[in-house]
Amino acid sequence: MSVSASNTAARDRTSLVQVALGARSYDIVIGHGLVDELGARIAALRPGAKAFIVTDDNVARYALDQAEAALANAGIAANRAIVPPGEASKSFGVFEQVCEAIIAARIERGDLVVALGGGVIGDLAGFAAAVVRRGLDYVQVPTTLLAQVDSSVGGKTAIDSARGKNLVGAFHQPILVLADTALLDTLPEREFRSGYAEVAKYGLLGDAAFFAWLEANWRDIFSGAGAAGSRARAEAVAVCCRAKAAIVARDERETGDRALLNLGHTFGHALEAACGFSDRLLHGEAIAIGMALAFEFSARRQGLVSKAEAARASRHLAAVGLPTRIGDIAGPPPSVDQLIELIAQDKKVRRGMLTFILVRGIGAAFVETGVDEREVRAFLSEKLAER
Ligand SMILES: NC(=O)c1ccc[n+]([C@@H]2O[C@H](COP(=O)([O-])OP(=O)(O)OC[C@H]3O[C@@H](n4cnc5c(N)ncnc54)[C@H](O)[C@@H]3O)[C@@H](O)[C@H]2O)c1
Ligand SMILES: [Zn+2]
């Protein structure tokens, strides 16, 4: 097969997922090489609009020229802001610079912000779009696996406060999400694997058949090579986006169901915080441990799920190279007191009762609001003793 023929074949495998939110509905388009269509798709949605791209130094190196060329080919005038990579860019300082740059470029109501990057850029650019001129439309072009399956969909945008992550933000839905799976080829393997924890999460929380498919196909998803790899990646992203879109359509502002997406995140956030949100433990790595713990905790607690099923969940996460035990984290372990303190801070506590996402099985998560803090303490003491 010639290169152009295989590219065409890949392009024909574009999937479309709709996020159904009435007047704020939008499409998530998933496929290989989609950045080339950015300009044409924007022109079709907002004829005559100007664009302002927000990206980071790493993504600029790999994808900015392609994105700018796609906009130019469709006759769209574009300016840009390039910020340093990393969570530190979700700060008031960088946020101010991005807002000022958008205003200086005379982006007005009717024009567009384009978030070209991972979750950091999506959150930063999305929040700028939410507030500059009291709200501009924006397009998400997620470039990490985490952003393609999670952060670019659902309209949560935020920057960080000195007191905690994502404490200053807004709900602001994009008008289009363009998930180009070819962009994932340059993603460092550790970042890809960390994003994969969120992929597995969708299977573990609500889709046992998808989890079984992941157990059989994760190698293709990781390699991304050839037709099988490209198809498996696009399929995995599409299944996750469909699941998230359905949950968001039911519960846009997280008053109910949307909380299920936090499977593994209560334990996970506490571990991330205990590691100072550093390279010691990436978000997805923390969530992998958190999900394994949520399964074990559920198994221990009134035998909600069998030990064998809990072991199967951990086994898959470990097979792809994700950590699944607190002892897998390098360096000195956190103390039980520290973890309990962090969990209590993170979650609403009512009369000593904590809220957790627990499971009845693979693909069967539910919200449990009455978890006794003492029970969590006893469980974590056991887990820390296992090291
Ligand atoms: N809004 C939401 O619903 C939501 C959900 C989950 C997470 N988040 C947020 O997402 C952020 C994490 O996102 P992330 O994991 O994508 O991190 P990130 O945006 O920092 O990207 C990770 C690293 O990969 C680099 N990178 C991105 N795309 C690349 C590519 N194609 N090739 C090579 N390198 C590339 C980045 O420069 C960065 O160094 C956190 O701030 C988190 O709070 C938001
Ligand atoms: Zn997460």
Side-chain angles (χ1 to χ4, degrees):
M1 202 194 286
S2 76
V3 172
S4 71
S6 75
N7 279 346
T8 313
R11 246 164 241 177
D12 287 341
R13 286 195 297 271
T14 296
S15 315
L16 198 75
V17 176
Q18 217 213 12
V19 185
L21 289 168
R24 284 170 292 109
S25 297
Y26 54 96
D27 287 340
I28 307 165
V29 191
I30 302 142
H32 194 271
L34 283 179
V35 168
D36 292 338
E37 299 175 17
L38 178 63
R41 288 185 182 269
I42 286 179
L45 277 174
R46 292 287 185 276
K50 285 186 293 185
F52 190 95
I53 302 177
V54 181
T55 193
D56 73 25
D57 290 310
N58 291 335
V59 181
R61 202 168 330 122
Y62 299 118
L64 184 57
D65 287 350
Q66 195 190 352
E68 287 184 331
L71 293 173
N73 286 340
I76 297 171
N79 284 84
R80 57 184 155 96
I82 305 177
V83 307
E87 186 72 24
S89 281
K90 280 172 61 172
S91 65
F92 279 100
V94 174
F95 175 69
E96 180 183 1
Q97 287 165 15
V98 169
C99 290
E100 292 293 353
I102 293 172
I103 295 164
R106 302 190 180 201
I107 296 294
E108 308 195 344
R109 303 287 286 269
D111 294 327
L112 282 170
V113 172
V114 176
L116 175 69
V120 163
I121 292 300
D123 279 9
L124 173 70
F127 185 43
V131 298
V132 170
R133 296 186 185 275
R134 298 198 183 85
L136 297 168
D137 287 338
Y138 75 115
V139 172
Q140 289 274 15
V141 185
T143 65
T144 63
L145 183 57
L146 176 131
Q148 294 193 352
V149 301
D150 190 0
S151 61
S152 68
V153 175
K156 277 193 189 176
T157 73
I159 58 172
D160 301 333
S161 140
R163 290 185 171 71
K165 276 187 57 157
N166 298 325
L167 291 179
V168 180
F171 281 96
H172 186 48
Q173 301 291 344
I175 63 162
L176 174 70
V177 180
L178 210 63
D180 181 346
T181 51
L183 294 174
L184 303 178
D185 289 346
T186 55
L187 197 61
E189 192 175 346
R190 189 175 172 201
E191 291 289 348
F192 188 93
R193 187 180 296 121
S194 175
Y196 183 85
E198 304 280 2
V199 174
K201 182 186 78 179
Y202 288 99
L204 292 172
L205 77 86
D207 191 340
F210 179 54
F211 187 76
W213 181 81
L214 290 174
E215 287 176 316
N217 293 284
W218 66 269
R219 286 183 185 79
D220 283 335
I221 298 171
F222 272 73
S223 95
S230 158
R231 203 177 316 119
R233 266 190 189 175
E235 174 68 10
V237 173
V239 170
C240 297
C241 286
R242 228 173 276 137
K244 181 149 187 191
I247 291 176
V248 168
R250 283 203 299 275
D251 180 21
E252 186 180 6
R253 292 191 173 240
E254 193 165 332
T255 50
D257 254 15
R258 190 163 175 171
L260 293 178
L261 295 170
N262 295 330
L263 176 63
H265 282 61
T266 301
F267 288 125
H269 279 157
L271 293 169
E272 252 186 307
C275 293
F277 294 100
S278 67
D279 279 358
R280 226 179 116 195
L281 190 67
L282 299 184
H283 175 73
E285 295 167 348
I287 273 22
I289 300 174
M291 291 191 294
L293 290 175
F295 267 79
E296 284 178 48
F297 185 68
S298 301
R300 183 181 190 272
R301 196 177 196 249
Q302 298 144 3
L304 278 172
V305 57
S306 73
K307 284 214 163 103
E309 187 108 318
R312 181 180 161 201
S314 301
R315 202 157 51 236
H316 176 58
L317 297 169
V320 309
L322 282 164
T324 56
R325 295 152 40 103
I326 299 176
D328 292 340
I329 305 170
S335 71
V336 176
D337 283 341
Q338 189 187 6
L339 289 177
I340 291 287
E341 167 86 22
L342 289 164
I343 287 171
Q345 262 172 31
D346 188 43
K347 288 287 135 184
K348 287 177 217 101
V349 193
R350 260 186 244 112
R351 296 203 189 93
M353 291 297 182
L354 303 164
T355 297
F356 272 82
I357 310 304
L358 298 183
V359 290
R360 295 195 174 87
I362 286 173
F366 67 99
V367 182
E368 173 59 90
T369 52
V371 177
D372 194 321
E373 188 181 307
R374 287 167 298 184
E375 208 184 326
V376 181
R377 183 179 286 277
F379 171 70
L380 287 174
S381 304
E382 273 174 32
K383 290 291 124 190
L384 282 161
E386 259 176 23
R387 289 171 59 88

